[in-house]
Amino acid sequence: MVLSADATEGQGGQGLNLHHMIRGLGEDFDLSVYCRAAHSLQPCVVPRSELLAGLARIPFIRRARDWTSFLAEQQFDRYVAGHLRETELVQGTTGQCFETLKAARGRHRPTILDCVTTHVDDFSAHQEQECQKFGVRPTINGTRRRRILDEYREATLIRVNSEHSRRTFLDRGFSPESIVTILPHLNVAEFPQAEFKESTFRIAFVGLLEPWKGFHYLVDAYLKLGLPDSELVFWGGTSSRPVARYFAEAIAKNPSISLRPQMIRAAGLENVYGRASVLVHPSLTEGFGYVVAEAMACGIPVITTYNTGAAELIRDGENGYLVPPGDSSALADRILHLHRNPALLPVIGARARCTIASAMTLEGFRSKYVPHLMGLLN
């Protein structure tokens, strides 16, 4: 089986997804993995284009990130399609595998599209709406959208990682048989247990600081609350000059807001999740949201939106909290509730950790996904 992802194993959402695919399918399939880098096997490393890398360093071209992303993914896809090994199954990642899936279909091989977002029209609508507020370009333009729609047509099966994501396809006329929901897997033992020994009430945001991630709704909520003995920490780098200016202004208003542009595994999960009182993930659209599951695995409460696929793991008020997307007041209400009731933190966190331990097992992943893949071979 071929797995293809324009990612480095274990880094970012796509890299984590690739890592879990390798671990989850390695026992049942002889894997050939095309990616930028991997550590758990010897991958087929796809070299980056020096020309594209040079162009991306030019400021006005870098700001056209929809086109730089498109060109990088196209270069990755064409390389994989041109070097595709003989195989029985081919799985590619959304936005970067049209030529690869087409080549596999030309060999009469079943194809799987691993869709890590919601349907492109749902995802891009939320992107465009929030990006307009900052005057930045969305990452999906008309050309990228059409290529993703072509990938949908080339796929024998589309795998999504939440029922929320699946509904965005069904609402657009896809047959139920063509879309399968396979929850990712996490090993809770790999995540440190939070102990809540900090005297400061620390709110953490982890992820890309992109407008559709909803960081501005969290900032608005925090500024309105004016909580004593608290911090709001953003683990992630700013995506554009307007976003950087926004954070500079927010920090000037309240120095308890800080940015940590680091890879969280380099910083240490015990420092990112382990020192947090709560993770807030206010995304407007999310196929899953690994950071939600990771924070729960570390035993801290999570506040996220109904538009996040990982919200399906949360029982509101029991092992976390759910709020409507784009609702700063609802975020503020839940944050204030936890701030006023610190004894709830370890109780809700323990329930969250138990949820991940039972719902996101490797065995569960394999028992659901492998039969679907085997069925494509019959």
Side-chain angles (χ1 to χ4, degrees), residues 38-343:
H39 56 77
S40 60
L41 44 67
Q42 292 296 319
C44 303
V45 176
V46 178
R48 298 184 185 276
S49 165
E50 293 185 8
L51 174 61
L52 291 179
L55 290 173
R57 287 191 286 269
I58 301 173
F60 78 90
I61 293 179
R62 185 170 61 247
R63 288 194 288 273
R65 56 189 186 153
D66 49 342
W67 283 107
T68 57
S69 296
F70 170 80
L71 293 173
E73 290 174 343
Q74 185 182 62
Q75 179 264 334
F76 177 88
D77 183 21
R78 288 179 172 174
Y79 182 95
V80 177
H83 296 79
L84 190 62
R85 294 177 179 177
E86 186 56 42
T87 185
E88 293 182 288
L89 288 171
V90 174
Q91 175 174 297
T93 306
T94 322
Q96 49 196 250
C97 65
F98 170 64
E99 297 288 347
T100 301
L101 299 187
K102 187 176 178 181
R105 292 293 290 270
R107 301 180 189 179
H108 306 287
R109 295 292 184 259
T111 55
I112 306 99
L113 180 64
D114 193 12
C115 188
V116 295
T117 68
T118 57
H119 186 283
V120 64
D121 288 343
D122 173 86
F123 184 62
S124 60
H126 288 290
Q127 248 201 23
E128 185 171 350
Q129 175 182 306
E130 298 303 316
C131 284
Q132 283 179 352
K133 298 176 181 179
F134 288 84
V136 299
R137 296 170 71 125
T139 62
I140 296 180
N141 57 24
T143 303
R144 287 189 82 190
R145 172 184 175 271
R146 287 189 293 272
R147 183 175 63 181
I148 291 172
L149 292 175
D150 286 339
E151 290 174 344
Y152 296 163
R153 288 186 282 270
E154 287 293 337
T156 311
L157 182 71
I158 297 175
R159 176 260 176 170
V160 294
N161 46 25
S162 68
E163 283 299 308
H164 166 67
S165 183
R166 186 170 186 263
R167 283 193 298 272
T168 66
F169 282 86
L170 299 182
D171 290 346
R172 289 165 175 79
F174 284 73
S175 66
E177 298 77 20
S178 66
I179 315 292
V180 58
T181 302
I182 306 295
L183 193 68
H185 59 90
L186 287 182
N187 182 0
V188 171
E190 296 177 356
F191 293 85
Q193 173 80 59
E195 298 180 354
F196 303 103
K197 293 182 178 180
E198 302 283 325
S199 59
T200 299
F201 182 83
R202 186 170 292 109
I203 305 159
F205 173 103
V206 177
L208 298 172
L209 293 178
E210 294 281 10
W212 62 90
K213 295 290 187 179
F215 60 78
H216 42 301
Y217 297 107
L218 174 55
V219 170
D220 288 348
Y222 186 71
L223 290 176
K224 289 174 185 174
L225 286 171
L227 297 177
D229 302 317
S230 70
E231 291 180 359
L232 173 56
V233 182
F234 287 88
W235 293 92
T238 54
S239 58
S240 61
R241 288 180 180 176
V243 171
R245 285 196 297 270
Y246 172 87
F247 273 101
E249 293 169 3
I251 292 169
K253 293 175 183 176
N254 189 334
S256 295
I257 300 173
S258 62
L259 290 179
R260 307 284 176 83
Q262 298 173 260
M263 301 293 290
I264 62 171
R265 279 164 174 75
L269 298 180
E270 69 281 2
N271 294 317
V272 177
Y273 298 120
R275 297 184 62 196
S277 305
V278 58
L279 175 95
V280 180
H281 188 68
S283 183
L284 280 295
T285 177
E286 200 82 61
F288 184 66
Y290 273 105
V291 297
V292 172
E294 289 186 345
M296 293 175 71
C298 288
I300 66 171
V302 169
I303 303 170
T304 191
T305 72
Y306 292 102
N307 279 9
T308 297
E312 294 161 17
L313 297 166
I314 293 177
R315 300 182 300 278
D316 190 32
E318 294 183 33
N319 64 349
Y321 297 92
L322 299 174
V323 298
D327 192 334
S328 295
S329 296
L331 286 172
D333 179 73
R334 299 301 186 274
I335 292 169
L336 182 60
H337 176 65
L338 290 174
H339 184 265
R340 287 176 172 173
N341 298 277

